[in-house]
Amino acid sequence: MSIRESFCPLCGQPSAGDLCGRCRVGKTRWMEASPRVECITCPTCGSRKTGAIWQDSPVSREELTRELAIRAVRLIPEGRDAEFQVTSRERSPNRTIAKVQVKANVFGVPVADEAEVEVVWRGETCDRCSRISGGYFEGVVQVRAAGRALSPREQEVATRIACEVEERLKEGGARLSFISRMTGEEGLDIVVGQSRMGERIAQEITAALGGRYTVHPKLTGEKDGKRLYRITYSIRLPRLQKGDVVEVEGDYLEVRETGKRQLKVFHLGTGSMTILPPSSTYRLVGNVRDSVPALIAFIEGETAGILDPETFATREVRMPGWVKTATGSQVRVLPDKQTDRIVVVG
Ligand SMILES: [Zn+2]
Ligand SMILES: [Zn+2]
């Protein structure tokens, strides 16, 4: 036996220092818990307020209870390997009682204890919901088409893009990037809570549907010496859309690119790309998206007999060289109602 080994004055067991671990634990309050914690959440969207900051809370009330209850428990610095088990019951709509069972290791001795924490839920309308309900907005994206109404597809694409931008910004933590409303009486108006977001939506819609947008800020007031603007992003979609088939002097052309100034078109008769100057007159036949498959009944030189998908009568058309065909195969056609012709588009 070493001369330096000593005995615990309380229990007489050998110990390294003064009191043995077991007796030290017995004399130490190694765990403390706040009996009551408050949690502020938004009754509309479930966001949670910590200090003065609101955050989206993706967790359920049960998970939040667990998190709050564990956080209400404090261990002394010597407490190691803490394990928590939380059970909870709802006392009322705004009171949850959580029982926290704690296991840890203190001064080398395994210990266990439990505490009860009351979670008080308080509702408060969050920054975002109060802006939305107050009709707050910083920008409007106006989607219009030049010389015509928006097509249902353009409405749908623009709406989808706006929602995707909102979702992406929200995921990135931009809480106040919300769409406050969308109206579709004359074109589409997307009213946004943050002007930065309006710009993003305008960029993405014109990238997808062509056309361009102009920016029109309007001074609405001043706050803390800073000028406040409401910004209108005015989108003008091109008169012709990608995939539109037009007839120019008896030729059928498919719009492939709608640039700012000129249209790149595909000549459906010859298979070559050309440019359609903005001043040209044309007649809109339809869009390749609306084309339908049709069966080739026979081929004789450059002429093909195609089964009209509407009447099932065989119609003879001159088959463009760029279309790969064989008897029994299918091509896509677009009917030209005005001239009663069938246009092969691919
Ligand atoms: Zn002892
Ligand atoms: Zn809210």
Side-chain angles (χ1 to χ4, degrees):
M1 194 182 275
S2 150
I3 191 98
R4 292 172 70 189
E5 189 160 351
S6 54
F7 296 93
C8 173
L10 278 182
C11 67
Q13 293 292 314
S15 79
D18 182 24
L19 290 179
C20 73
R22 202 168 294 274
C23 291
R24 277 178 84 187
V25 168
K27 290 181 97 49
T28 308
R29 240 183 116 188
W30 58 272
M31 178 191 105
E32 257 184 2
S34 311
R36 193 167 172 274
V37 291
E38 195 182 61
C39 183
I40 301 174
T41 57
C42 173
T44 311
C45 70
S47 290
R48 178 178 164 198
K49 193 181 189 183
T50 315
I53 294 170
W54 283 99
Q55 267 177 314
D56 283 304
S57 174
V59 300
S60 67
R61 176 152 156 161
E62 200 183 334
E63 278 175 82
L64 199 51
T65 300
R66 186 184 140 78
E67 190 189 315
L68 291 163
I70 291 173
R71 207 176 319 138
V73 173
R74 285 173 304 279
L75 265 62
I76 59 167
E78 291 84 355
R80 311 231 191 274
D81 311 325
E83 275 175 45
F84 301 92
Q85 212 170 357
V86 181
T87 49
S88 61
R89 64 189 161 86
E90 303 286 321
R91 176 181 277 175
S92 71
N94 52 10
R95 292 273 193 286
T96 303
I97 307 295
K99 195 165 91 177
V100 192
Q101 289 173 300
V102 189
K103 277 187 192 165
N105 201 300
V106 180
F107 307 129
V109 179
V111 290
D113 201 350
E114 62 178 47
E116 212 175 65
V117 179
E118 182 186 37
V119 181
V120 179
W121 305 97
R122 212 152 63 70
E124 196 180 302
T125 303
C126 76
D127 49 359
R128 179 175 54 214
C129 290
S130 64
R131 281 187 173 199
I132 293 172
S133 67
Y136 178 92
F137 68 99
E138 287 183 1
V140 182
V141 182
Q142 289 183 333
V143 191
R144 304 285 184 274
R148 60 175 175 88
L150 288 189
S151 71
R153 179 180 165 269
E154 286 170 328
Q155 289 256 11
E156 187 201 307
V157 170
T159 305
R160 197 192 65 225
I161 287 173
C163 294
E164 280 170 4
V165 169
E166 180 186 39
E167 200 54 41
R168 236 182 296 139
L169 289 171
K170 219 170 126 185
E171 270 169 22
R175 285 183 52 76
L176 300 176
S177 291
F178 55 82
I179 294 172
S180 55
R181 62 186 184 276
M182 286 202 238
T183 52
E185 280 155 41
E186 168 205 347
L188 175 69
D189 282 0
I190 304 158
V191 184
V192 295
Q194 225 165 25
S195 53
R196 194 160 57 91
M197 178 191 187
E199 176 109 50
R200 185 84 72 89
I201 292 172
Q203 280 167 356
E204 294 197 14
I205 289 175
T206 48
L209 297 173
R212 48 197 236 102
Y213 69 91
T214 47
V215 182
H216 310 273
K218 189 178 156 200
L219 191 64
T220 52
E222 223 177 83
K223 196 186 174 192
D224 309 325
K226 244 180 87 182
R227 291 172 155 210
L228 299 179
Y229 291 94
R230 252 178 206 163
I231 302 179
T232 301
Y233 300 91
S234 177
I235 298 181
R236 190 73 19 164
L237 296 179
R239 194 178 177 88
L240 286 173
Q241 309 167 55
K242 217 182 239 185
D244 276 346
V245 173
V246 293
E247 184 261 327
V248 179
E249 293 166 6
D251 287 332
Y252 291 101
L253 310 169
E254 179 198 324
V255 176
R256 286 283 169 93
E257 266 177 57
T258 54
K260 277 176 190 161
R261 299 221 166 342
Q262 58 197 15
L263 291 167
K264 275 194 187 160
V265 291
F266 179 73
H267 194 298
L268 289 167
T270 64
S272 58
M273 291 293 294
T274 51
I275 281 170
L276 187 67
S279 55
S280 10
T281 47
Y282 57 80
R283 181 174 61 83
L284 184 64
V285 176
N287 192 288
V288 290
R289 272 193 310 276
D290 306 319
S291 64
V292 286
L295 190 71
I296 298 177
F298 64 86
I299 297 174
E300 265 176 32
E302 287 190 335
T303 306
I306 292 180
L307 282 189
D308 187 317
E310 274 175 29
T311 63
F312 296 104
T314 308
R315 316 251 315 229
E316 288 192 4
V317 297
R318 207 185 73 79
M319 191 53 80
W322 60 274
V323 183
K324 294 268 171 293
T325 47
T327 302
S329 69
Q330 284 190 333
V331 283
R332 295 198 70 85
V333 298
L334 198 63
D336 182 353
K337 296 245 162 32
Q338 194 165 318
T339 58
D340 193 31
R341 282 169 72 184
I342 273 187
V343 186
V344 177
V345 297

